[in-house]
Amino acid sequence: MSSAENSLEITHTHGDRVVVRSTATGTDLFSYVYKPDPDAFEARKPYVHPLRTLSGNLVSGYRPNDHRWHKGLQMTASHLSGQNFWGGNSYVHGEGYLPLHDRIGSMRHDGFDSVEAGTDELSFTERLTWIENGGSEWAHERRGVRVHAVDPESGSYAVDWSIELTNTRADGEALRFGSPTTAGREMAGYTGLQWRGPRDFTGGKVFGPQGDASDGELMGTQGPWLAFTGEHDDVDAHSTLVFEHAPENLDATRAVHASHWFVRSQPIPTVAFSWAFFEEFELPAGETFRYRYRIVVADGAWDEERVASRLKELAW
């Protein structure tokens, strides 16, 4: 593969977004939007949309009519010390989902410590502040994002995403991370880094290292990676996204808290690296946690063997 085949073009519109374009295919692959959303109820935070394959097929959904606060690929926290950094209705045990506007938090973009663009990759480090609904600053985040490993031969590229979050609450209280499941709703452990697929991915195929499975079989399970394949409308094509944990995320001696998959293909296509599916965990004042993730975006309907082979090539 020549450098021309792999070349990327970066456009940074200050105060708005960073866009990564493949000059080989003429496709805007990745748009990282950090301009604050207008609707506070959707939990203002940066997100990636549109997200496209090398051939230009759209593999992210934005503000779908069933969940307006679902926006491509975004870092979230559905239940955090009584606040909702996921967006939309909040789950309350015994009452269901309620539009509790006074529980909606936000993530403020404070700036980029670095933006490094080469011919074959982009990486940036961003500073953010997590703010509860009343205006108190609860946490500072250092976020790393890297777009790399563009490979026209396999029709894929990778997005690495890291989070380093420090509890900065002035009252000295711990931050308690949970989910609707920890609040009493069975098998609804969504929180953490979340992807929402486009509408035409509804009913897509889900599988892991053990092979094909239904989303119900994989919901709440653990594993090093999970893949989601969908078939597009309009064009005769499939696309595959692979969600992979960095090794330390699943190392019991190093992990912050045990992670589980939140995955659905029906009635909506979505995957989340849930860091608090079944149990809450606490981050004491002044302390920091870290996670790293990888998403491989690929043209075609990949199978288990092809996923495993590519992940081996991209070893951490």
Side-chain angles (χ1 to χ4, degrees):
M1 295 172 290
S2 70
S3 59
E5 288 177 321
N6 289 327
S7 59
L8 297 175
E9 182 178 84
I10 316 302
T11 302
H12 184 187
T13 304
H14 290 272
D16 187 355
R17 69 190 62 206
V18 177
V19 178
V20 180
R21 182 179 180 83
S22 167
T23 58
T25 63
T27 300
D28 287 346
L29 303 176
F30 171 101
S31 294
Y32 185 84
V33 182
Y34 61 91
K35 179 181 179 180
D37 279 347
D39 191 342
F41 186 64
E42 295 173 11
R44 293 175 174 132
K45 67 182 83 66
Y47 59 87
V48 175
H49 178 83
L51 183 66
R52 298 183 184 276
T53 67
L54 285 177
S55 68
N57 291 325
L58 181 67
V59 291
S60 61
Y62 177 75
R63 298 193 75 244
N65 59 33
D66 49 80
H67 297 81
R68 294 298 187 192
W69 47 94
H70 286 188
K71 296 173 183 176
L73 180 66
Q74 57 181 351
M75 182 59 70
T76 72
S78 58
H79 287 236
L80 176 55
S81 296
Q83 291 279 294
N84 174 357
F85 288 80
W86 174 280
N89 295 334
S90 300
Y91 180 77
V92 178
H93 186 54
E95 300 182 61
Y97 287 96
L98 303 175
L100 303 177
H101 290 261
D102 61 349
R103 292 194 182 186
I104 305 295
S106 63
M107 300 178 194
R108 184 185 68 210
H109 166 83
D110 292 332
F112 291 107
D113 285 339
S114 66
V115 178
E116 299 180 7
T119 58
D120 56 0
E121 75 171 68
L122 161 79
S123 62
F124 61 78
T125 303
E126 181 185 20
R127 287 175 285 107
L128 304 101
T129 299
W130 293 37
I131 304 170
E132 59 86 32
N133 189 266
S136 297
E137 297 184 359
W138 274 8
H140 288 168
E141 179 190 345
R142 178 181 170 89
R143 177 176 299 178
V145 175
R146 178 182 176 222
V147 181
H148 66 107
V150 178
D151 181 12
E153 184 175 342
S154 68
S156 70
Y157 66 96
V159 178
D160 291 357
W161 188 304
S162 66
I163 177 174
E164 181 179 291
L165 191 76
T166 302
N167 179 348
T168 59
R169 288 185 64 158
D171 59 10
E173 292 292 321
L175 288 174
R176 302 186 316 277
F177 290 83
S179 67
T181 294
T182 68
R185 184 178 178 225
E186 292 187 1
M187 302 307 285
Y190 54 79
T191 193
L193 184 61
Q194 181 231 1
W195 164 79
R196 172 63 192 253
R199 184 75 61 184
D200 51 12
F201 270 40
T202 305
K205 174 183 171 183
V206 180
F207 61 99
Q210 288 73 43
D212 296 355
S214 69
D215 51 1
E217 291 174 310
L218 289 174
M219 176 71 86
T221 65
Q222 295 177 293
W225 61 264
L226 179 148
F228 195 116
T229 294
E231 184 174 9
H232 294 280
D233 292 336
D234 299 327
V235 294
D236 297 325
H238 292 77
S239 297
T240 300
L241 284 93
V242 184
F243 304 87
E244 184 186 25
H245 281 283
E248 68 269 17
N249 293 3
L250 300 176
D251 184 340
T253 65
R254 301 167 64 192
V256 182
H257 191 259
S259 292
H260 299 76
W261 296 115
F262 178 85
V263 54
R264 284 182 177 153
S265 64
Q266 293 278 8
I268 63 172
T270 187
V271 174
F273 296 86
S274 177
W275 53 33
F277 198 113
F278 296 108
E279 297 176 338
E280 285 191 347
F281 73 90
E282 290 191 353
L283 180 66
E287 295 197 10
T288 300
F289 74 62
R290 298 170 179 84
Y291 285 102
R292 292 191 301 151
Y293 308 100
R294 174 168 290 159
I295 298 94
V296 177
V297 181
D299 283 303
W302 286 22
D303 58 18
E304 178 191 353
E305 181 179 358
R306 192 170 182 184
V307 169
S309 175
R310 187 65 179 138
L311 293 182
K312 185 176 180 180
E313 292 172 351
L314 295 173
W316 294 88

